[in-house]
Amino acid sequence: MSSSRRSRWLLLSAYQADSHAYWAAWLPRAFPAIDWRVLTLPGRHFKWRIRGNPLSWLGEIEAASRDVDGVIATSMVDLATLRGLCPALARVPNIYYFHENQFAYPVGPQQTPSVEPQLVQLYGALAADQIVFNSRWNAQSFLTGVDELLQRMPDAVPSDLRARLEPRIQVLPVPVEPVISPEAPPRDPRLIVWNHRWEYDKAPAFFAAAMRRLAEQGVMFRLALLGARPATPPAPLTELAEQFPSRIVANGRVDRATYEALLAQSGIAVSTALHEFQGIGMLEAVSAGAIPLVPDALVYPEQFAATYRYPPGDIEAFIERLAAWVVNPPASPAIDRWLVPSVKPQWAALINRFS
């Protein structure tokens, strides 16, 4: 790079939803000294996005990649194909960032399993100079998934894929902005917050059943039902709204100030997820002072001590912990290593290493 100009990086995000959009907005804001060129695609039509993004960007990628010093692409980007179609991308360092991996992503009830998304990510990782995951769980489940995929193949399978991938792997979270809300009322230990997507992979039916059981036991609690939901509300959400109207203090996506105030007011933040590679919503809630109650699986053992984890799928353990905590809550845990002040210097070091 010439000393007379700013470092120039191309940021590629092929599925702008949730943590992908959060992260893609944070990087240019956190490092304004870099000349960022950004290409994104909307977070919809998953199968087309993960396989078709080189075609979607075909008319833009050559100009966007001209004179860049490096590329950061999410794992929804078909990086191997893009580097083949655009030689400029093959001449500069490429960082491949996994917000999630398709080997550990649960298949929905209306979905058909396919190796296509898995192969896109595997080829992308092989084509990248540096492979970065947002958690150890993400990295481990990816490598395990690759091993299991190759074991199912009939022949001509390479034996050294782990040896090729592992030396280039680094764990670096999406930096979470700590929530500090001056507008929040006093904390309510009986306020339980759900701030996840209302979709199958977050197991909302388990949560709704637990709330019904908690109410049947005579436990006093209130609910903040946040997070994105489809146009047609899922049955568990509708049931909660119908059964507990007087207990619900919020039901829907709210503006940022209101969201932060609700997190700062809440006593307990819960997760019943079937998959979670980092869990920004939970980390935000805990940064605001809420107590996490999470499955003893996925990314959560990296984040929270055993006190805050329950056996996955064990509704009795989940209810028992909630009933105790609304009366006698434990202290909220420290999560500093997932927050911006700790993580930003690590991102700076990664980018500087390749600039």
Side-chain angles (χ1 to χ4, degrees):
M1 181 186 71
S2 168
S3 59
S4 63
R5 72 166 176 85
R6 298 158 61 195
S7 176
R8 182 175 296 151
W9 279 76
L10 175 61
L11 175 60
L12 300 174
S13 180
Y15 198 84
Q16 278 286 83
D18 302 320
S19 68
H20 301 247
Y22 182 107
W23 168 86
W26 177 82
L27 267 177
R29 189 172 69 249
F31 301 105
I34 294 174
D35 179 8
W36 293 96
R37 295 177 179 175
V38 181
L39 293 181
T40 66
L41 292 168
R44 57 177 181 261
H45 310 310
F46 167 78
K47 291 182 179 179
W48 164 236
R49 283 289 175 267
I50 196 166
R51 200 66 185 93
N53 55 82
L55 289 174
S56 299
W57 284 329
L58 196 60
E60 305 169 82
I61 193 67
E62 186 173 351
S65 60
R66 189 173 298 123
D67 298 326
V68 297
D69 301 300
V71 177
I72 301 179
T74 73
S75 60
M76 294 292 287
V77 172
D78 187 351
L79 185 62
T81 297
L82 274 175
R83 293 190 86 170
L85 291 173
C86 183
L89 297 184
R91 293 192 289 266
V92 297
N94 279 238
I95 298 169
Y96 202 46
Y97 191 54
F98 280 82
H99 294 264
E100 46 72 37
N101 78 78
Q102 291 300 308
F103 294 93
Y105 209 104
V107 177
Q110 272 79 49
Q111 296 175 338
T112 303
S114 171
V115 300
E116 277 280 307
Q118 297 173 351
L119 289 174
V120 167
Q121 294 188 330
L122 175 55
Y123 292 147
L126 288 168
D129 299 284
Q130 184 75 35
I131 311 162
V132 185
F133 291 85
N134 61 356
S135 67
R136 290 196 306 273
W137 155 248
N138 197 351
Q140 291 163 358
S141 59
F142 172 77
L143 291 171
T144 299
V146 169
D147 289 341
E148 292 173 350
L149 173 66
L150 296 184
Q151 289 169 9
R152 300 200 304 270
M153 297 300 104
D155 60 11
V157 173
S159 60
D160 63 343
L161 273 193
R162 271 194 179 245
R164 290 175 180 267
L165 295 169
E166 286 182 321
R168 287 177 282 146
I169 287 178
Q170 176 181 355
V171 175
L172 188 51
V174 173
V176 176
E177 299 276 3
V179 172
I180 302 171
S181 176
E183 301 177 15
R187 188 171 305 282
D188 178 359
R190 297 184 181 276
L191 179 56
I192 300 169
V193 64
W194 165 289
N195 60 338
H196 315 280
R197 287 181 289 104
W198 288 84
E199 296 182 19
Y200 73 95
D201 57 303
K202 304 300 183 183
F206 178 98
F207 173 68
M211 295 305 99
R212 287 194 294 272
R213 293 274 300 278
L214 203 62
E216 289 167 2
Q217 292 180 14
V219 177
M220 297 301 298
F221 64 90
R222 299 194 301 156
L223 294 172
L225 305 177
L226 309 177
R229 65 276 314 271
T232 301
L237 179 57
T238 301
E239 291 164 7
L240 285 172
E242 291 174 350
Q243 293 169 4
F244 304 117
S246 64
R247 296 178 186 254
I248 297 173
V249 303
N251 184 10
R253 298 202 78 166
V254 295
D255 62 74
R256 186 68 189 183
T258 303
Y259 172 75
E260 292 185 350
L262 285 166
L263 294 188
Q265 182 188 2
S266 63
I268 304 169
V270 300
S271 170
T272 58
L274 303 177
H275 100 276
E276 197 69 84
F277 295 99
Q278 179 172 339
I280 289 175
M282 284 299 299
L283 292 169
E284 287 180 331
V286 177
S287 79
I291 303 159
L293 182 57
V294 299
D296 187 13
L298 313 171
V299 69
Y300 295 124
E302 296 174 51
Q303 297 172 332
F304 306 117
T307 301
Y308 306 101
R309 307 194 308 260
Y310 65 92
D314 188 338
I315 195 168
E316 300 296 338
F318 183 74
I319 293 168
E320 181 180 357
R321 200 77 59 88
L322 285 175
W325 284 3
V326 297
V327 177
N328 185 25
S332 184
I335 54 165
D336 294 1
R337 66 192 183 91
W338 299 86
L339 303 180
V340 167
S342 295
V343 179
K344 181 179 176 180
Q346 299 175 57
W347 274 101
L350 173 65
I351 293 170
N352 290 338
R353 179 158 32 109
F354 288 101
S355 293

